[in-house]
Amino acid sequence: MHIQLNGEPFELPDGETVAALLTRLELTGRRVAVELNLDIVPRSQHEATALREGDQVEVVHAIGGG
């Protein structure tokens, strides 16, 4: 299936979850926020949230500062 990841075309196997996408991107365990079709996906829902053809996903890295 094809999705938009941070504004760029990205191809994934059908039925991939947000958690599997983060693993594929080597972002597991990192502080990231995931937006799916303009809605934030809580970390507790990453495993249960399946991606679909044409979804728009934004992955933002949390950066500390002061």
Side-chain angles (χ1 to χ4, degrees), residues 3-19:
I3 66 168
Q4 289 287 316
L5 176 62
N6 294 340
E8 299 291 327
F10 196 82
E11 190 168 340
L12 294 170
D14 289 343
E16 192 96 322
T17 64
V18 169

Side-chain angles (χ1 to χ4, degrees), residues 38-64:
L38 304 177
D39 292 318
I40 297 294
V41 180
R43 185 179 301 269
S44 63
Q45 296 298 309
H46 287 183
E47 285 286 340
T49 303
L51 299 170
R52 294 185 171 86
E53 181 75 29
D55 278 348
Q56 294 184 20
V57 180
E58 296 287 329
V59 179
V60 180
H61 300 265
I63 300 174

